[in-house]
Amino acid sequence: MILEEIVDEIKVELKRRQILNTCMGYSFTSTLLDSGEVGISHTIGEGKINGAGSLIGKNAFEAVRENLETPLQRSLSLSILSALNTVEGFQEGDLINFLEEGKTCVFGYSPSFSSENYVIYDFYDVENPTEKRKSFSSFQGDRCVNVVIYGSAIVNGYIDKILSQVSSDNIAILGFSSIYTPHTLRKYGVKLIGISKFLAGKKGMR
């Protein structure tokens, strides 16, 4: 599982951190670490959290290691992992400027995309599918010039299927739940990583 490799890449720093607070909401989950950094991920309410009620003060690596199996567990773990994201070396910009000409495949929960040549594989069921928007359940592989994957694919567990069945030389993972682990993601063909970061620290828990 790709997520296990992501955890392995940053486990040294993860083992140094403790959880000070965590808040799981209907749409998003956020976690405050003892470093003062806050991470955020999507909340997908399937499963139950291991160690719920005893997370405060727990070692971050141990909490993550115990919560990788279900979408709800990954919601917690990715909020912890994203707190380790750094903005050093990143630049602000529009994703469109980094895409090449040609078909773009987009994976996410009802994502919007502005381009002439694209197809959206929606994680929600699409009642009236078209050539431009289809349910992810119909995805059996595709060849695309660009691939845009939202971080929610890591939470729901679809990321492995997407990266193994899509053919592209220009893959981007971005948004909430995206984790900056360049060595792991590069191995799977990811060239662009877009992260979300709370620069104000504790304000991210409000």
Side-chain angles (χ1 to χ4, degrees):
M1 187 166 66
I2 293 172
L3 181 53
E4 293 177 345
E5 297 181 49
I6 288 174
V7 173
D8 189 64
E9 182 172 334
I10 56 177
K11 68 181 179 182
V12 173
E13 179 61 21
L14 201 57
K15 288 178 177 180
R16 297 191 182 113
R17 305 270 65 95
Q18 287 185 317
I19 298 173
L20 293 188
N21 197 6
T22 188
C23 180
M24 184 164 284
Y26 180 77
S27 298
F28 299 103
T29 296
S30 58
T31 296
L32 171 65
L33 300 182
D34 60 343
S35 61
E37 300 292 339
V38 173
I40 187 170
S41 72
H42 299 82
T43 299
I44 301 179
E46 299 176 23
K48 63 180 182 179
I49 299 296
N50 287 326
S54 60
L55 291 170
I56 307 305
K58 192 176 182 70
N59 178 264
F61 176 74
E62 294 300 323
V64 169
R65 187 178 65 172
E66 297 170 1
N67 288 280
L68 295 175
E69 296 303 317
T70 70
L72 190 61
Q73 290 176 4
R74 292 191 289 268
S75 298
L76 169 67
S77 291
L78 283 160
S79 72
I80 297 170
L81 295 172
S82 69
L84 301 182
N85 281 339
T86 175
V87 295
E88 294 181 8
F90 278 79
Q91 65 184 61
E92 294 186 14
D94 191 329
L95 173 66
I96 294 295
N97 296 330
F98 296 92
L99 301 183
E100 301 172 2
E101 290 188 11
K103 179 181 176 181
T104 298
C105 295
V106 184
F107 298 84
Y109 285 101
S110 298
S112 58
F113 190 77
S114 178
S115 175
E116 292 183 3
N117 190 0
Y118 71 92
V119 58
I120 290 173
Y121 290 99
D122 199 326
F123 294 151
Y124 289 122
D125 287 331
V126 178
E127 292 185 1
N128 299 301
T130 66
E131 288 300 313
K132 295 290 189 182
R133 185 179 293 271
K134 307 174 182 180
S135 296
F136 178 74
S137 58
S138 70
F139 176 68
Q140 298 297 325
D142 205 340
R143 181 179 296 276
C144 321
V145 174
N146 308 292
V147 173
V148 177
I149 307 169
Y150 284 91
S152 54
I154 308 176
V155 182
N156 62 26
Y158 295 161
I159 186 69
D160 293 84
K161 178 178 179 178
I162 295 170
L163 291 177
S164 66
Q165 296 188 10
V166 76
S167 177
S168 176
D169 292 326
N170 196 34
I171 301 176
I173 296 180
L174 68 157
F176 295 120
S177 308
S178 297
I179 311 300
Y180 182 57
T181 48
H183 299 296
T184 297
L185 296 179
R186 190 179 298 121
K187 183 171 70 173
Y188 289 94
V190 178
K191 291 186 176 180
L192 178 67
I193 306 171
I195 63 171
S196 298
K197 180 71 175 178
F198 283 115
L199 299 181
K202 294 181 180 180
K203 290 183 179 180
M205 296 297 293
R206 296 178 182 174

